[in-house]
Amino acid sequence: MTSIGWDAFYGCSGIQIFSITGENPPQCGSDIFKNVDLSKATLYVPADKVTYYQTTEPWSKFGTVKTLSGETPSTPTACAKPTIAYENGQLMFNSATTGAKYHCTITSPDMKSDVLNESGTMNLDARYDIVVYATAEGFTQSETATATLYWVKADGSLTDNINAAKMRGVVVTADNGFVSVSGLNDGEQVLFYAMDGKMLGSQKAVNGTASLSTSESVVICKVGTTSLKILVK
């Protein structure tokens, strides 16, 4: 077998074992396993191609990958978890894994469809929730990174009008006890507080970013006149 057509195994929920004996991986159409849970299925492949199948979709969706002789290979290294920042009007993703590619999903409370509105006006939240993970050849998928992009006016206040003049984006991330705020002006000061109002520290932005290490589960970041509540994982 050299190729598999699109939707070839659509809805085949009973797949338990799938074997590929050819030395070269088959070319695959889109969604060949659409609506199929492969988390409990086992894939058998040639030993010298195991890493490829472990790290390449759709094969990486199989719960177990083994060699044709039944051996269970070691699990490949995961791609490094990406960071998220904002600079010069662009979201910036970065992973320590060379050759990483980024898979991003952006949602916003502003996204609405066919909503009944009687007043003729509607407020916008001017906020984007960002989810991104990284993949690279020879590595499994990274952990997922999350961040929130807020729109802040020049005077430091949060705005609900994405068309406001002199507006900028500020990205806030929290991971492993570190809180980071990017999209700042160099030298701009960020104040960090605990939920009880205790100041945890203040940092001036360097290269547009200010960060703080903390053991708190929730941190309040104050940028200008704007205070943002951050959940720290």
Side-chain angles (χ1 to χ4, degrees):
M1 180 177 62
T2 60
S3 64
I4 303 176
W6 63 281
D7 283 354
F9 299 97
Y10 176 84
C12 295
S13 57
I15 294 177
Q16 297 179 2
I17 294 174
F18 198 99
S19 299
I20 299 177
T21 58
E23 281 301 314
N24 295 318
Q27 294 182 346
C28 297
S30 61
D31 295 327
I32 66 171
F33 294 111
K34 187 175 182 179
N35 290 352
V36 180
D37 180 9
L38 297 172
S39 61
K40 296 182 180 179
T42 301
L43 175 67
Y44 289 88
V45 298
D48 61 347
K49 295 293 191 301
V50 165
T51 299
Y52 171 85
Y53 287 102
Q54 286 176 318
T55 59
T56 306
E57 290 192 1
W59 313 113
S60 58
K61 294 181 179 179
F62 277 80
T64 304
V65 179
K66 293 186 176 184
T67 66
L68 290 174
S69 60
E71 297 175 346
T72 301
S74 59
T75 302
T77 303
C79 191
K81 184 177 180 179
T83 59
I84 306 171
Y86 183 84
E87 183 179 343
N88 298 325
Q90 292 183 317
L91 283 173
M92 311 290 289
F93 306 136
N94 186 54
S95 170
T97 301
T98 302
K101 298 178 180 179
Y102 306 97
H103 307 254
C104 179
T105 299
I106 299 177
T107 58
S108 171
D110 291 337
M111 295 178 185
K112 307 183 191 316
S113 178
D114 197 26
V115 175
L116 177 64
N117 182 289
E118 297 182 1
S119 67
T121 62
M122 180 175 289
N123 293 329
L124 298 178
D125 288 318
R127 186 186 84 228
Y128 293 100
D129 297 314
I130 303 157
V131 177
V132 61
Y133 65 88
T135 58
E137 186 175 349
F139 295 82
T140 57
Q141 179 180 311
S142 74
E143 294 181 59
T144 299
T146 60
T148 302
L149 171 62
Y150 297 93
W151 294 109
V152 179
K153 292 192 292 188
D155 63 4
S157 61
L158 200 64
T159 178
D160 60 5
N161 181 359
I162 60 175
N163 297 313
K166 296 183 179 179
M167 186 180 61
R168 58 181 173 147
V170 173
V171 164
V172 181
T173 61
D175 187 46
N176 293 325
F178 280 92
V179 178
S180 295
V181 183
S182 63
L184 303 170
N185 299 318
D186 285 348
E188 187 172 7
Q189 190 173 50
V190 179
L191 305 178
F192 298 90
Y193 296 90
M195 282 295 290
D196 60 7
K198 179 182 67 177
M199 179 178 280
L200 302 175
S202 63
Q203 297 289 333
K204 289 187 176 181
V206 177
N207 295 326
T209 301
S211 301
L212 181 78
S213 174
T214 180
S215 59
E216 299 287 332
S217 58
V218 178
V219 172
I220 305 296
C221 303
K222 188 172 183 180
V223 182
T225 60
T226 297
S227 294
L228 306 171
K229 183 188 293 186
I230 309 301
L231 176 64
V232 183
K233 295 182 180 180

